[in-house]
Amino acid sequence: MIDLHTHTDESDGSFSPQQLMIAAAQANLEAIAITDHDTFAGFDEAARHAAAFPGELICGIELATRYRGRSVHLLGYFLDGVPDGAFRGWLNGVQKSRRERNERLIERLQGRGVDITLDDVRRHGKGLIGRPHFAAALVEKGYADSIQGAFKKYLDESGACFVPRNEPAFAEAVSRILEARGLPSLPHPGRVSTDYAALEESVCEMQRLGLRGIEAYHSDHSAADVDFYKSLAGKFSLAITGGSDFHGTAKPQIALGAGKNGNVRVPLKVLDRMKRYSGRS
Ligand code: AMP
Ligand code: FE
Ligand code: FE
Ligand code: ZN
């Protein structure tokens, strides 16, 4: 079994890259992809601990993009080798816009009388700081009862202090991944739409924009979802991808390589097919 959707503490997971490699070995996984939000820092560090994991370590990323006015995530898998300077340079710009958003978010929170600084938030993260770390700081300081509550009250699109982030357009992110010889895949497609017909229409357009894969297996998917997303893969000639979306103790109900109560089992042949779609045999 393999797990192609995981996060380390370089984004919003709780495991260090080394801990994740050890956990992957303990779970007897044959391959693991690190797909941190907007950063390769976790993958780069995990690669230095490759000896801890006998399976294959795959370089991935999960980008937040703009699609039809909404934020839509996009996975990239670099099966031909890790991306070069051009892609990493582009990613630096994405990280810069995140840091600027974070500064504006602190100002808005302080403007509403919340006693919080960027250092308070940084203590909850390591590499790239995002809203989950703001949420943890708000809970710690007693401004919300839970992470969900902090998002609802302050951080999500209807929250009191929401600051939009300058996300790359979906089409641009797809092109950048393709230019870096990566395989772009749509994660948790149910977040684009829970309506199957509406989703199909979006996936049709995304495929024309260059999308090459769809995440059929994920902790949030029912058996019917998996079947439907697989049928979309067949219909639009997309590779099937899959993973738990492991975040460590940040999402304790999701187990590495197994999902929620064992609802995610991704066989190695999924990776073999992805390699064919990405131009390798
Ligand atoms: P950011 O990339 O910093 O804007 O933060 C986005 C991340 O916050 C997403 O990837 C989710 O993991 C998390 N998130 C977004 N909305 C919620 C929510 N309502 N409750 C909990 N986590 C959320
Ligand atoms: Fe996340
Ligand atoms: Fe996601
Ligand atoms: Zn994810």
Side-chain angles (χ1 to χ4, degrees):
M1 292 295 148
I2 62 176
D3 193 331
L4 303 182
H5 192 158
T6 70
H7 296 270
T8 75
D9 62 2
E10 291 291 345
S11 70
D12 57 347
S14 73
F15 280 35
S16 70
Q18 184 180 16
Q19 286 170 331
L20 186 61
M21 296 300 278
I22 292 166
Q26 281 167 351
N28 283 317
L29 294 180
E30 293 155 293
I32 183 172
I34 294 179
T35 54
D36 275 324
H37 300 282
D38 300 334
T39 177
F40 289 125
F43 168 80
D44 291 339
E45 176 66 15
R48 289 189 273 275
H49 296 282
F53 175 52
E56 186 176 352
L57 171 66
I58 291 152
C59 177
I61 196 137
E62 184 171 23
L63 300 167
T65 76
R66 272 284 110 182
Y67 180 74
R68 295 184 181 174
R70 290 173 45 216
S71 183
V72 168
H73 288 177
L74 177 67
L75 290 167
Y77 291 108
F78 301 94
L79 304 164
D80 274 349
V82 300
D84 57 9
F87 189 87
R88 286 177 188 255
W90 177 76
L91 202 58
N92 282 340
V94 171
Q95 294 175 359
K96 186 163 168 266
S97 84
R98 176 185 281 278
R99 282 192 287 273
E100 286 163 1
R101 187 280 312 265
N102 290 346
E103 280 164 24
R104 295 222 306 282
L105 184 50
I106 279 291
E107 283 165 17
R108 289 205 70 166
L109 286 162
Q110 288 171 347
R112 280 195 65 98
V114 175
D115 176 22
I116 193 170
T117 66
L118 213 44
D119 279 338
D120 295 329
V121 177
R122 283 202 194 97
R123 269 190 282 109
H124 292 273
K126 194 169 93 184
L128 208 52
I129 301 302
R131 283 181 292 161
H133 309 105
F134 279 79
L138 288 165
V139 171
E140 182 195 51
K141 291 186 150 258
Y143 288 103
D145 294 334
S146 65
I147 298 289
Q148 280 298 332
F151 267 93
K152 195 153 183 277
K153 201 164 159 194
Y154 296 104
L155 303 173
D156 68 20
E157 303 204 6
S158 51
C161 298
F162 178 71
V163 177
R165 184 150 68 89
N166 192 7
E167 295 163 329
F170 182 86
E172 186 194 348
V174 165
S175 299
R176 294 283 182 172
I177 291 169
L178 290 173
E179 280 163 19
R181 292 180 303 136
L183 179 96
S185 178
L186 180 69
H188 36 66
R191 292 197 214 157
V192 172
S193 180
T194 52
D195 179 86
Y196 284 173
L199 173 64
E200 178 164 340
E201 191 267 326
S202 291
V203 170
C204 178
E205 182 186 53
M206 290 172 169
Q207 193 259 3
R208 275 188 273 115
L209 295 172
L211 189 72
R212 295 260 179 94
I214 184 165
E215 189 175 57
Y217 306 103
H218 183 277
S219 301
D220 288 346
H221 296 175
S222 69
D225 291 336
V226 174
D227 286 345
F228 181 67
Y229 303 150
K230 279 183 175 172
S231 79
L232 290 183
K235 198 160 184 173
F236 298 110
S237 302
L238 301 169
I240 289 168
T241 74
S244 63
D245 211 351
F246 181 73
H247 282 71
T249 54
K251 293 187 183 175
Q253 68 283 13
I254 298 174
L256 184 65
K260 291 179 189 162
N261 300 315
N263 70 342
V264 179
R265 310 297 289 168
V266 186
L268 184 60
K269 68 171 195 257
V270 163
L271 179 60
D272 296 335
R273 277 204 232 111
M274 284 168 66
K275 286 176 177 171
R276 287 203 288 278
Y277 274 80
S278 133
R280 276 186 5 175
S281 59

